[in-house]
Amino acid sequence: MNTLIIFSLLVVLMLTGMPISIALGLTVLSFLFTMTTVPIESVALKLFTGIEKFEIMAIPFFILAGNFLTSGGVAKRMIRFATTMVGHYYGGLGLAGVLACAMFAAISGSSVATVVAVGSIILPEMLKQGYPKKFSAGVITTSGALGILFPPSINLVIFSIATSGMSATGPNGEPVSTASVGQLFLAGVVPGLCLSVLLGITTWYRARKYDYPRMPRASWGERWTAFREAFWGLLLIVVVIGGIYSGIFTPTEAAAIAAVYAFVIAVFVYKDMKLVAVPKVLRNAAAMSSMLLYIITNAVLFSFLMTSEQIPQAMAAWMTSQGFGLVVFLLLVNIILLAAGNFMDPSAIVLIMAPILYPVATKLGVDPVHLGILMAVNMEVGLCHPPVGLNLYVASGITKMGITELTVAVWPWLLTMIGFLVVVTYWPPLSLWLPHLLMK
Amino acid sequence: MLSRFLDHLEEWLIAFLMGAATFVIFLAVLHRFLAGVPLLQDWMVRINVSWAQELCIYMFVWMAKFGAAYGVRHGTHVGVDVLVRALSPSKAKVMVLVGLAGGAIFTAIIGTLGARFVWENGFHYALYHALGIAGPDLFEGPTSPDLEVPTWIPYACVPLGSYLMCFRFLQVGWAFITTGQLPHHNHGHVEGLEEDVTDQVASPAQEARA
């Protein structure tokens, strides 16, 4: 009953269009105020202590690092490098688009910015070479979402934060340790590469079928020059993953180093950014981080309410009493997440859903790392699927195509992504192999 | 005039905190590296940087509270707008105002709760001691573990930031009533593209965002 009240209240508040963070906070306040005896003073303290953890501070640093490198110049370098590598195959420029999107999305950390940056440079070029508009738009819209799986992924950091400190038990009652940022980053690499390759194959297959143009093969000299240009940006991924894995830094320190590194690259190596532009980048990064931190604070309040009302435990008990096995549960998780993807921002979905799903999942024997990757792939699909995927909207802006037209355009790639989602869901080794190999 | 000053203060504060926190953690990591270099070792161990993490956390929490207020004025906060977009303009207008009112109410409550907490956990003591009118049974309040500052100082960002945010919600609401305009933030803005293709981009979460 309480569960129903809490969720209806949350949904009603959210539907007014108020910020998600405020809707979460108001739900908690009104529930605590009217239905419980929990002292409301503890809420104010939680607003400070909820984000008073060093692990959470990785988020603003990663956002800052991404903002330094979110520029047209970096996108051009990635596209040039990708074109010299794969341009000579069928649908060369399309394939280059997939590769460039994967690289740019990984370092910029924003799929929307990726669609805009890579899309607005590569789309006119594709149309000039004679690609149909639908094909070009489909490639960029879907590939822009690839960044969520590659380190440094803010979405994976958020999953780790949302579940950290939760005490959950496995199928036999043994305690399960939560997923660390390092494990999740490593776990995202293999699925991320697989999905990029699959999107590439889809592009290549359709390009061969309709005989889309190829580009002349680039020489190794040209490839080397293009690689040297792109190298400094891509090194960011190596610094983060290498630093965390080798134990030189904690994830938050790695994020701060990444931000300093990105600043040096953008201002002194690439020279895309003048020093006077730095305060503006800082301010934008601060505004974006504050928005996320504010949702996190209120999501912490919300999950405090969920825990004090024992809601995840009740759901876990209900699930097992219904005799739902792992297969049905994972199917349900996918459906709920894809449906939520229609209305909400990926970070907000993870913050609200992860603490609820996590205890149930571990009870059924799902590895926490696997759950994190599964949610990340869901968020990628959610960004591109109609009616309201965020990438669709952005792509509609730069291609001047309607949402319906774009929905038709993305189908081949979207189907590939959904197929891949099924594989990730039911074949855990795909996500768990690398972290198990390197971290145990 | 005062309002312009407040706007600039907010902008500079969050940009400064972002940059300064990055610098502090960068220095702390650098310090740890240099402490491993034989020649510098003796010199380095004398510098204590254990406060760096705590300072970084406090700076970011302050940034988060004031950045959230800045975000209200600039429309960065994401909301769910499927319903609002489906409604007729007059009904949508009511919904948006309800949303803004919700924001103002929430931040006002939190600000007040926070202010009471700060008052009872050391501000009362500090103020009365500064004024020299302290009674004998005032609670001094806890101090933080590494920086050893009274905790009411960092916690003061909750009332200050929340009241500012409340003021911003009212300001945006008033502007919406008089002009019908809501602040609009472009999440897909990218520097250095030839033409700014992104201005027309309308994302689902942007139109009716408060």
Side-chain angles (χ1 to χ4, degrees), chain B residues 73-131:
Chain B
R73 189 156 58 90
H74 288 259
T76 51
H77 290 281
V78 288
V80 177
D81 58 357
V82 270
L83 182 65
V84 178
R85 289 162 69 88
L87 290 173
S88 66
S90 60
K91 283 183 185 152
K93 195 162 180 176
V94 176
M95 275 303 221
V96 170
L97 286 175
V98 170
L100 289 171
I105 294 169
F106 176 72
T107 45
I109 296 175
I110 292 301
T112 310
L113 290 175
R116 209 153 74 188
F117 182 83
V118 166
W119 179 253
E120 282 162 10
N121 277 277
F123 183 51
H124 192 178
Y125 176 91
L127 186 69
Y128 277 32
H129 267 265
L131 297 174

Side-chain angles (χ1 to χ4, degrees), chain A residues 155-175:
Chain A
N155 207 277
L156 291 176
V157 178
I158 288 180
F159 176 83
S160 172
I161 291 163
T163 57
S164 74
M166 292 189 71
S167 55
T169 51
N172 307 318
E174 74 277 12

Side-chain angles (χ1 to χ4, degrees), chain A residues 8-21:
Chain A
S8 337
L9 194 58
L10 181 64
V11 169
V12 168
L13 287 173
M14 274 189 183
L15 284 179
T16 65
M18 68 172 66
I20 294 177
S21 42

Side-chain angles (χ1 to χ4, degrees), chain A residues 306-321:
Chain A
M306 300 297 271
T307 327
S308 76
E309 291 296 311
Q310 299 272 323
I311 288 171
Q313 286 77 358
M315 279 173 79
W318 181 78
M319 279 269 181
T320 35
S321 74

Side-chain angles (χ1 to χ4, degrees), chain B residues 126-184:
Chain B
L127 186 69
Y128 277 32
H129 267 265
L131 297 174
I133 51 171
D137 53 351
L138 272 181
F139 177 47
E140 192 179 345
T143 52
S144 75
D146 293 324
L147 291 167
E148 292 172 3
V149 290
T151 52
W152 68 266
I153 297 175
Y155 283 18
C157 70
V158 175
L160 291 176
S162 300
Y163 282 140
L164 182 62
M165 203 170 164
C166 179
F167 172 65
R168 294 299 185 202
F169 269 117
L170 297 173
Q171 213 177 16
V172 168
W174 179 245
F176 182 67
I177 292 171
T178 49
T179 65
Q181 297 285 316
L182 277 181
H184 172 101

Side-chain angles (χ1 to χ4, degrees), chain A residues 325-399:
Chain A
L326 193 57
V327 176
V328 181
F329 169 72
L330 289 177
L331 185 69
L332 274 177
V333 168
N334 280 326
I335 292 172
I336 295 171
L337 290 177
L338 287 179
N342 273 326
F343 308 106
M344 270 195 277
D345 176 74
S347 329
I349 300 178
V350 173
L351 279 167
I352 298 172
M353 296 306 292
I356 302 174
L357 295 175
Y358 180 73
V360 190
T362 53
K363 194 97 209 151
L364 290 167
V366 180
D367 192 298
V369 178
H370 179 213
L371 182 68
I373 300 301
L374 168 67
M375 290 190 82
V377 178
N378 256 301
M379 296 305 109
E380 294 194 335
V381 181
L383 281 172
C384 316
H385 83 73
V388 258
L390 204 53
N391 279 14
L392 283 178
Y393 271 83
V394 180
S396 131
I398 54 173
T399 56

